[in-house]
Amino acid sequence: MKKFVALLLALMMVLAMGACSSSGTTTEDTATNDTATTDDAATTDDAATTDDAATEDTGDTGAADGELIKVGFAQVGHESDWRTASTKSAQDVFTAENGYELSFVDCDNDSAVQLDAVRNFIQQGMDYIIIDPIVATGWDTVLTECEDEGIPVIVIDRTVDDSDKYASWVGSNFKTEGLACGEWLKAYAAAQGITEINALVIEGSTGASATIGRTEGFKEIADREGWTILDSQNGDFTEAGGQEVMESYCQSYKGQFNVVICQNDNEAYGAMTAMDQAGVTYGVGGDVILVSFDANKAALELVKEGKLNADFECNPMAAPDVDAVIKQLEAGETPEKEIYMNETWFVAEDVAGATITVDGAEQDLVVVTQEVLDARPY
Ligand code: GZL
């Protein structure tokens, strides 16, 4: 509907310009798509800026099938390798060649910046807005503003828990990831003759649905099995955060823990540095079972080397699914409200069996070999 009105206005302006030029006065319509910048967030406009159809010197009135679909993407930030892969997925899909003009805002893990970015997208008249919500709440007001302006919102990765005013969500079941981690640990400990689990958890960013789900899922199994979670602190999904928390843990709990759960790979890298410095051995044959989430390729190398015992994938490549949702909306179809990504549970050794049962569903455990590594897209 928005496109039809824009076309009609463009046509009227071309006709008006024609009338003006015959009377010797011209008006220049220099509408451009400026990507609003905010102090705290880097912004880029990845596709060529499209001028308003009426100013095309070819007289082209910007037939709808020739226009680029304007997509605004408010990304969490740049805190992890996973995030880098997520951003690249969007930048690879939402290109001019694919019919898009992408306006990207890195919100630097700042929720206020993210809300500003979405409001700027509304002002800029985006056709669609993609959000990866830094935190799960505080969204209903701005999503209502998007709805009032007729701009469909697609949420990816993390969830919005206080509003359903979006067309689709594409992402992972974070609680399932946490449950899978717990079920694998149960099977692994049994196979290794480990009868007591004293775990330390390095959580992701506070309030992020990924943190909430992974924490909830693992704790459900820990409570069921009678394990002890000695501590659970925020490492903010960063390597520095993981190292800082693990340094503290090595001081406070030295000799008391035999499992460390890092809620993403970057935290695991930091935890390894801290444990190396503290003389704590981990991984296959180590004193501590070390587990991570995300399963980036670099982390899977460490699984193959035995430095990580297991890594539970969180798939960052949501953009192709979002592209499909936009195409459905463009065609007047209703997309699925929830679209789950496929994910794999990777392990260093074939010890816990070939499968685990997670929430009633039998799921494969994949031993990381060179062949598995070579097949990984990110
Ligand atoms: C999970 C995603 C998390 C990753 C981290 O879907 O939101 O944020 O697990 C990233 O690596 O920082």
Side-chain angles (χ1 to χ4, degrees):
M1 184 53 182
K2 280 174 64 194
K3 285 189 186 306
F4 176 72
V5 170
L7 204 56
L8 196 59
L9 284 172
L11 207 54
M12 288 165 65
M13 288 163 77
V14 168
L15 292 173
M17 283 168 67
C20 287
S21 58
S22 62
S23 60
T25 56
T26 59
T27 55
E28 174 95 14
D29 179 325
T30 57
T32 60
N33 297 306
D34 299 321
T35 300
T37 59
T38 55
D39 297 339
D40 306 312
T43 65
T44 58
D45 191 344
D46 287 305
T49 299
T50 51
D51 293 333
D52 178 86
T55 60
E56 293 285 329
D57 55 12
T58 60
D60 174 2
T61 55
D65 56 1
E67 287 182 349
L68 296 177
I69 297 173
K70 292 169 63 180
V71 171
F73 177 18
Q75 173 63 292
V76 166
H78 51 274
E79 75 287 354
S80 65
D81 298 348
W82 188 98
R83 190 63 54 201
T84 303
S86 165
T87 295
K88 185 176 183 307
S89 174
Q91 290 170 336
D92 288 350
V93 168
F94 301 114
T95 61
E97 301 90 302
N98 290 340
Y100 290 101
E101 179 189 335
L102 175 65
S103 295
F104 174 80
V105 175
D106 171 337
C107 300
D108 199 18
N109 232 18
D110 183 328
S111 295
V113 169
Q114 190 166 49
L115 293 174
D116 281 348
V118 173
R119 290 193 166 99
N120 284 333
F121 288 153
I122 295 172
Q123 293 305 315
Q124 293 158 32
M126 291 297 161
D127 296 310
Y128 296 89
I129 293 175
I130 302 171
I131 301 169
D132 187 333
I134 294 169
V135 293
T137 54
W139 285 100
D140 194 58
T141 303
V142 75
L143 292 181
T144 304
E145 292 165 26
C146 294
E147 189 176 70
D148 292 347
E149 290 299 315
I151 303 174
V153 173
I154 298 150
V155 180
I156 64 167
D157 176 30
R158 299 181 189 175
T159 55
V160 166
D161 293 351
D162 66 344
S163 178
D164 66 353
K165 295 184 178 103
Y166 51 85
S168 275
W169 166 83
V170 180
S172 306
N173 188 319
F174 303 118
K175 182 175 179 183
T176 297
E177 293 171 2
L179 291 169
C181 174
E183 295 293 5
W184 168 83
L185 181 57
K186 177 191 176 216
Y188 183 80
Q192 299 288 64
I194 298 169
T195 54
E196 192 176 341
I197 298 289
N198 294 297
L200 290 167
V201 179
I202 303 179
E203 294 181 9
S205 305
T206 303
S209 55
T211 303
I212 295 165
R214 289 170 191 162
T215 303
E216 188 183 334
F218 180 73
K219 188 177 183 304
E220 185 173 304
I221 307 300
D223 291 347
R224 185 192 74 191
E225 299 298 321
W227 300 337
T228 302
I229 297 178
L230 295 165
D231 209 336
S232 192
Q233 292 181 24
N234 172 18
D236 225 8
F237 284 135
T238 64
E239 182 167 348
Q243 181 172 343
E244 187 181 326
V245 171
M246 196 68 236
E247 285 168 350
S248 165
Y249 283 165
C250 287
Q251 286 175 14
S252 307
Y253 302 100
K254 187 154 177 124
Q256 299 175 49
F257 62 94
N258 62 350
V259 174
V260 172
I261 308 288
C262 301
Q263 289 192 350
N264 87 328
D265 291 331
N266 296 80
E267 290 176 344
Y269 306 153
M272 289 175 186
T273 301
M275 286 193 280
D276 289 342
Q277 289 166 351
V280 175
T281 60
Y282 51 84
V284 174
D287 294 335
V288 172
I289 295 165
L290 181 59
V291 173
S292 183
F293 292 83
D294 282 354
N296 292 316
K297 195 163 189 172
L300 292 181
E301 291 270 4
L302 297 171
V303 176
K304 179 170 172 290
E305 291 168 22
K307 290 184 177 173
L308 270 172
N309 293 91
D311 202 340
F312 298 85
E313 183 185 13
C314 183
N315 188 335
M317 315 300 268
D321 287 301
V322 175
D323 174 45
V325 165
I326 290 174
K327 285 186 167 59
Q328 283 182 282
L329 294 168
E330 286 286 294
E333 297 166 8
T334 305
E336 290 293 318
K337 186 75 173 180
E338 293 181 343
I339 299 166
Y340 284 92
M341 312 285 295
N342 294 322
E343 300 181 331
T344 304
W345 315 139
F346 296 98
V347 294
E349 312 157 274
D350 185 9
V351 165
T355 64
I356 49 174
T357 301
V358 182
D359 216 8
E362 190 169 19
Q363 299 178 356
D364 293 339
L365 294 173
V366 174
V367 176
V368 180
T369 61
Q370 191 55 51
E371 185 185 5
V372 167
L373 264 181
D374 292 345
R376 294 296 296 162
Y378 55 87

